[in-house]
Amino acid sequence: MSGLQSVLYCGVCTYPIEYCEFSGKLKRCKKWLLDNHPDIYPKYYSNDSKDDELPAVDSSIGVEREEKLEKSLKKLELKEENKEKRELEKKLSSKIIIKRESRTKRKSIVVISGLEILEIDMKKLAKTFASKFATGCAVSKNAEKKDDIVIQGDVLDQMDSYIHGLLEQHGLKNVKVEIIDNSKKKKAEAPKPTK
Amino acid sequence: MFKKFTKEDIHSRSKVKSSVQRTLKSKLVAQFPPLEEVIDELIPKKSQIELIKCEDKIQLYTVDGEVYFFQKFDELIPSLKFVHKFPKAFPTVQVDRGAIKFVLSGANIMCPGLTSPGAALPEAPGYEKDSIVVINAENKEHSLAIGKLLMSTEDIKSINKGHGIEMIHHLGDPLWNFSIE
């Protein structure tokens, strides 16, 4: 690679690391840098500095303005932190609903809603389900205009365990998973349960 | 331009023919002549450029899954990732430290932010109105935004009032965070 530069981007805020101070996530950015690239950390931040201290710069905009800037950056950081907290709470208070609905005769479908908190591509997830359970699987919009995943066939139990595993992977173990079985009645009437 | 931009704004995705890829490359070089020495490294002959057509007639070009440049009407505009790789190919202006915050939240750049002691503008004759410039910041190594000059750099120096650069693309905007899949 001759004339090309490669730039190190922060793993937390995705900016080039010298702009971390403006991202409002400085604390975590610093931690990330220290964990992942301890060799270049001292270049940007002095070693003994406090967590929320901004990197030292010799700036031309005057002490007064610099102070103002610093203040507003701190404010931004606080705002960002609160926002994240709120989002996390919202995430934890939401729940995933797995629902079985009956179709004709012994057939049923499974509808999963509330998956958007995982922040993964629904279409891809649907594809994985389709190949995992060897059935048809699609993403559809529900009444609240949120994405639902609809799976053909009765895979309720497998789905339950799979979702729990998925949640654990994303560090959202406390999210509730609710299972609604709308076809139970019919199942009880039938002499042999479908499987 | 990319204040709001999500996956839903994508209309179509298609692979670009190698002949079209060649013309694209030559067009890039014509627009930014210093790119010539590295263009084959940035966009290798074998690589596959993808064209993503979006809302408002914006077209993105990606190489290996990363947006390298985009187009609205005729002019090709490099993305920041592309600029970071080879910054010296592009016309550059510098803003002072006080402006960074506003630039990163997507504001147009005002003239005083370009003429204060911490900022830098090119020597005369400078750049023409409507040309694409890369925006750097005081004490920073990498660029943080890309914009379009609303007046020539000489005018910015002499008038020193009002909007100087129209924001097109900055760090942390939806295009910056955009990734295919």
Side-chain angles (χ1 to χ4, degrees), chain B residues 11-154:
Chain B
H11 288 215
S12 74
R13 257 176 84 174
S14 56
K15 295 200 162 111
V16 168
K17 271 196 245 170
S18 66
S19 59
V20 180
Q21 185 167 338
R22 261 203 311 279
T23 44
L24 260 176
K25 272 162 83 170
S26 62
K27 208 170 154 191
L28 260 182
V29 172
Q31 229 176 61
F32 306 103
L35 270 182
E36 197 183 348
E37 45 173 310
V38 286
I39 190 78
D40 282 325
E41 243 176 271
L42 283 168
I43 308 170
K45 260 191 194 130
K46 288 258 170 69
S47 68
Q48 179 64 56
I49 296 188
E50 258 186 86
L51 167 65
I52 301 178
K53 285 187 179 162
C54 309
E55 195 72 37
D56 290 336
K57 298 202 174 135
I58 295 171
Q59 301 181 351
L60 308 178
Y61 293 94
T62 65
V63 178
D64 299 329
E66 220 169 81
V67 179
Y68 266 22
F69 43 96
F70 50 92
Q71 188 174 31
K72 190 173 187 186
F73 308 119
D74 224 19
E75 206 166 26
L76 290 170
I77 306 166
S79 80
L80 274 171
K81 292 238 165 79
F82 190 73
V83 172
H84 285 158
K85 288 206 169 77
F86 196 69
K88 54 188 167 190
F90 308 98
T92 311
V93 295
Q94 187 179 320
V95 294
D96 62 15
R97 201 174 139 71
I100 299 177
K101 193 182 114 204
F102 302 104
V103 174
L104 287 186
S105 53
N108 284 351
I109 294 162
M110 305 291 161
C111 290
L114 292 161
T115 51
S116 73
L121 282 170
E123 299 286 311
Y127 309 128
E128 291 293 305
K129 185 181 175 237
D130 285 339
S131 56
I132 301 295
V133 285
V134 169
I135 298 147
N136 255 341
E138 180 190 3
N139 287 334
K140 304 283 184 196
E141 193 183 332
H142 306 297
S143 38
L144 79 162
I146 288 161
K148 190 178 190 179
L149 285 178
L150 288 173
M151 44 176 110
S152 70
T153 51
E154 286 307 298

Side-chain angles (χ1 to χ4, degrees), chain A residues 139-155:
Chain A
V139 182
S140 71
K141 289 244 152 72
N142 65 6
E144 291 143 23
K145 294 223 168 147
K146 295 261 174 68
D147 279 340
D148 272 359
I149 291 186
V150 180
I151 309 166
Q152 311 291 323
D154 181 10
V155 288

